[in-house]
């Protein structure tokens, strides 16, 4: 059994996240493994972890690099309908607090990238399983760059970082995972207080008040990110004074804009 699983089984004190744990040395994508399990009735809180992924995927059709030393994990949740729209905030806050707990200053880039010093250390992909148009389960896919030198990978070297690069030493992946599942359960259980979740998400977002460019499909808009609304969408003030609500997209901060 992997060291991570032994560590988690001995130390995790959550009520349901990680009670069922599956570790794969190598897999295509933990999202696919978790989806298969969810389709076959896996309970809420089931966790899949991979040592490496061969076809890790990210938001907006991108791929996700998962070398050894990272944490690639998917968590099966079965949220009530009103909680579904809070999942980006809940998962971003879980990672944000995990990293903060290590003594590192991080920020959230809408919707749920986690950055350290402007460089991406974690990405989150949320996918849903639907039955008759209603969400029957959600899979929270989280990739954290932990113990590898992002500078050695040309495809991410320009914009990414890892916890070991930031801290100057290697960390226990098991300890990071334990914090992550604990924080995720904590914020998930607070979902009956959406204002608190959305408020804390927005408060830790480095996007608000900044001039940003948002790419959605083939179109891009520029403006000032003014706020996060009650649905978790980004409210953008365009240069002509009008307001646009962004539901999904890739945000880049425009340098020198505050
Ligand atoms: C992004 O930033 O675009 C999201 C990246 C999400 C990566 C994680 S790693 C674990 C899970 N399995 C995947 O294939 N993707 C997610």
């Amino acid at each position: 059994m992997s060291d991570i699983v032994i560590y988690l089984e001995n130390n995790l004190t959550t009520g349901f996240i990680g009670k069922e744990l599956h570790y794969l040395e190598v897999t295509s994508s933990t999202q696919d493994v978790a989806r298969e399990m969810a389709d076959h009735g896996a309970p809420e809180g089931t966790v899949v972890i991979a040592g490496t992924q061969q076809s890790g995927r990210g938001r907006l059709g991108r791929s996700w690099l998962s070398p050894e030393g990272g944490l690639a994990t998917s968590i099966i949740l079965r949220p009530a309908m009103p909680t579904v729209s809070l999942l980006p905030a809940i998962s971003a806050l879980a990672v944000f607090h995990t990293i903060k707990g290590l003594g590192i200053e991080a920020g959230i880039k809408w919707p749920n990238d986690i950055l350290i010093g402007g460089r991406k250390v974690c990405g989150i992909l949320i996918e849903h399983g639907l039955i008759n148009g209603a969400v029957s389960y959600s899979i929270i896919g989280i990739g954290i760059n932990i113990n590898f030198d992002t500078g050695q990978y040309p495809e991410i070297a320009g914009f990414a970082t890892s916890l070991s690069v930031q801290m100057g030493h290697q960390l226990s992946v098991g300890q990071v995972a334990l914090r992550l599942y604990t924080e995720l359960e904590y914020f998930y259980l607070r979902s009956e207080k959406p204002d608190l979740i959305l408020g804390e998400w927005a408060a830790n977002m480095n996007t608000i008040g900044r001039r940003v460019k948002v790419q959605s499909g083939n179109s891009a808009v520029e403006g000032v990110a003014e706020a996060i609304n009650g649905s978790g969408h980004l409210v953008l003030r365009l240069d002509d004074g009008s307001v646009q609500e962004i539901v999904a997209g890739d945000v880049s901060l425009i340098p020198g804009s505050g």
Side-chain angles (χ1 to χ4, degrees):
M1 211 189 295
S2 99
D3 290 353
I4 301 173
V5 174
I6 295 171
Y7 182 80
L8 288 171
E9 285 183 350
N10 288 335
N11 295 285
L12 203 56
T13 56
T14 47
F16 60 99
I17 291 187
K19 285 279 164 215
E20 197 173 304
L21 266 178
H22 300 268
Y23 180 85
L24 300 148
E25 202 63 55
V26 181
T27 192
S28 51
S29 160
T30 54
Q31 292 294 96
D32 295 337
V33 177
R35 180 176 284 274
E36 181 76 18
M37 289 177 176
D39 282 337
H40 287 88
E44 179 164 66
T46 299
V47 161
V48 180
I49 304 173
T52 61
Q53 298 182 116
Q54 291 164 324
S55 7
R57 58 173 181 272
R59 290 174 61 240
L60 311 169
R62 289 182 298 227
S63 59
W64 179 260
L65 186 76
S66 291
E68 228 174 275
L71 176 64
T73 184
S74 297
I75 303 105
I76 299 173
L77 296 177
R78 297 186 180 275
M81 201 52 203
T83 303
V84 173
S85 65
L86 293 176
L87 292 176
I90 288 170
S91 50
L93 284 170
V95 179
F96 173 79
H97 281 282
T98 296
I99 292 176
K100 210 172 153 187
L102 299 169
I104 306 178
E105 274 305 310
I108 301 169
K109 179 163 81 74
W110 184 90
N112 46 18
D113 283 353
I114 309 300
L115 309 183
I116 302 176
R119 288 179 164 263
K120 181 159 166 171
V121 70
C122 168
I124 300 174
L125 172 68
I126 301 174
E127 296 176 325
H128 306 287
L130 304 176
I131 293 180
N132 297 329
V135 171
S136 116
Y137 60 80
S138 300
I139 298 179
I140 314 296
I142 301 177
I144 307 182
N145 302 335
I146 303 183
N147 288 330
F148 61 92
D149 180 0
T150 42
Q152 299 298 311
Y153 296 87
E155 54 276 60
I156 59 168
F159 62 85
T161 189
S162 71
L163 295 178
S164 63
V165 165
Q166 293 295 320
M167 299 188 81
H169 60 81
Q170 303 264 301
L171 290 90
S172 151
V173 175
Q175 279 177 19
V176 175
L178 180 129
R179 277 180 190 271
L180 175 67
Y181 302 136
T182 307
E183 296 285 358
L184 186 63
E185 184 169 297
Y186 173 77
F187 284 103
Y188 185 58
L189 291 176
R190 289 175 86 196
S191 53
E192 79 285 359
K193 298 211 162 73
D195 293 351
L196 278 181
I197 300 272
L198 292 173
E200 191 174 347
W201 185 40
N204 292 299
M205 213 175 267
N206 59 14
T207 322
I208 305 302
R210 300 281 301 271
R211 190 168 178 81
V212 297
K213 180 175 170 188
V214 186
Q215 186 85 37
S216 316
N218 288 332
S219 64
V221 276
E222 246 185 68
V224 175
E226 275 196 346
I228 302 297
N229 69 16
S231 309
H233 303 158
L234 186 67
V235 178
L236 199 64
R237 174 80 56 183
L238 305 186
D239 292 342
D240 64 5
S242 65
V243 163
Q244 189 166 326
E245 185 177 329
I246 310 288
V247 178
D250 192 31
V251 170
S252 38
L253 304 177
I254 296 179
S257 63

